[in-house]
Amino acid sequence: MAKLYFYYASMNAGKSSNLLQAAFNYGERGMKVMLWTAAIDDRSLFGAIASRIGLNADAHRFHDATNIFAAVQQAHEENELACVMIDEAQFLSEDQVWQCARLADEAGIAVLCYGLRTDFQGNLFPGSAKLLGIADSLVELKAVCECGRKATMNLRIDSSGKAIAAGEQTEIGGNESYIAMCRKHFMERLNG
Ligand SMILES: [Zn+2]
């Protein structure tokens, strides 16, 4: 039976490189993979999905209104898919996560979602909350804090490196950046 997977982590845990490596492995065996990423993410100059270690690939983009179930099913009818991989899966709507579940259950296509667990305030993203709720398999990818412990939090910093405590969950067009940290050091930076 096809499964819905959620590979979750903080920033800089290698989610995109993990995804691209898995896609490469499928391709090597002649199996077709459909890649997706959020329309919101325009970081990459080289492809829709790019990893910090230099791998990149083109991908379909989803936005709020995208029917992922219909788009994948159509592609699957034209050219049989081994699986679907979705980067930035924290930006999926709850409906879209259910669509991913239906792809596994009804169309028999495995769906591998890669995304952040929480935002810069430690709140679950809606897509991540639903994936944590209904995915068949949860896999944590680990990033490391500067102290060597597992980083589970994402500290948002401004251009001067100062910690930011308040703001929108996703600052569209913002130049903010993030540091993956353990909870103890996240709190120290935020209160320091
Ligand atoms: Zn730490």
Side-chain angles (χ1 to χ4, degrees), residues 102-142:
R102 287 180 56 210
L103 285 169
D105 298 342
E106 297 173 26
I109 303 169
V111 181
L112 285 64
C113 293
Y114 293 75
L116 295 174
R117 184 170 64 161
T118 55
D119 65 14
F120 74 109
Q121 295 177 311
N123 296 316
L124 293 170
F125 285 91
S128 307
K130 185 52 70 182
L131 281 162
L132 288 168
I134 71 168
D136 298 292
S137 180
L138 302 173
V139 183
E140 185 174 33
L141 302 175
K142 293 178 179 70

Side-chain angles (χ1 to χ4, degrees), residues 15-33:
K15 289 184 296 301
S16 298
S17 44
N18 224 281
L19 181 158
L20 292 169
Q21 177 67 56
F24 179 83
N25 294 346
Y26 274 99
E28 212 175 27
R29 284 179 269 151
M31 299 164 92
K32 194 164 161 52
V33 174

Side-chain angles (χ1 to χ4, degrees), residues 144-151 180-186:
V144 179
C145 179
E146 59 199 12
C147 69
R149 272 189 291 215
K150 183 173 78 177
M181 299 191 121
C182 73
R183 191 176 55 235
K184 174 182 157 80
H185 289 123
F186 171 86

Side-chain angles (χ1 to χ4, degrees), residues 164-190:
I164 298 172
E168 295 296 313
Q169 188 167 51
T170 304
E171 295 278 5
I172 312 272
N175 295 320
E176 80 279 3
S177 55
Y178 297 90
I179 307 174
M181 299 191 121
C182 73
R183 191 176 55 235
K184 174 182 157 80
H185 289 123
F186 171 86
M187 293 306 292
E188 282 180 9
R189 277 289 289 273
L190 215 50

Side-chain angles (χ1 to χ4, degrees), residues 27-178:
E28 212 175 27
R29 284 179 269 151
M31 299 164 92
K32 194 164 161 52
V33 174
M34 189 178 194
L35 302 180
W36 288 85
T37 192
I40 203 169
D41 185 31
D42 286 324
R43 286 176 304 182
S44 172
L45 296 171
F46 306 104
I49 300 175
S51 71
R52 289 172 305 128
I53 61 168
L55 300 171
N56 57 76
D58 210 355
H60 299 264
R61 313 270 181 135
F62 66 84
H63 48 82
D64 287 348
T66 306
N67 185 330
I68 293 177
F69 182 82
V72 171
Q73 222 185 18
Q74 190 184 344
H76 186 56
E77 280 166 17
E78 290 163 8
N79 198 342
E80 191 179 329
L81 294 170
C83 77
V84 171
M85 295 184 184
I86 304 179
D87 203 12
E88 307 291 351
Q90 72 272 12
F91 295 129
L92 292 170
S93 69
E94 293 192 3
D95 275 355
Q96 286 168 333
V97 174
W98 281 113
Q99 290 168 16
C100 292
R102 287 180 56 210
L103 285 169
D105 298 342
E106 297 173 26
I109 303 169
V111 181
L112 285 64
C113 293
Y114 293 75
L116 295 174
R117 184 170 64 161
T118 55
D119 65 14
F120 74 109
Q121 295 177 311
N123 296 316
L124 293 170
F125 285 91
S128 307
K130 185 52 70 182
L131 281 162
L132 288 168
I134 71 168
D136 298 292
S137 180
L138 302 173
V139 183
E140 185 174 33
L141 302 175
K142 293 178 179 70
V144 179
C145 179
E146 59 199 12
C147 69
R149 272 189 291 215
K150 183 173 78 177
T152 55
M153 310 296 288
N154 299 306
L155 185 76
R156 180 184 281 178
I157 55 171
D158 64 19
S159 55
S160 64
K162 193 171 170 296
I164 298 172
E168 295 296 313
Q169 188 167 51
T170 304
E171 295 278 5
I172 312 272
N175 295 320
E176 80 279 3
S177 55
Y178 297 90

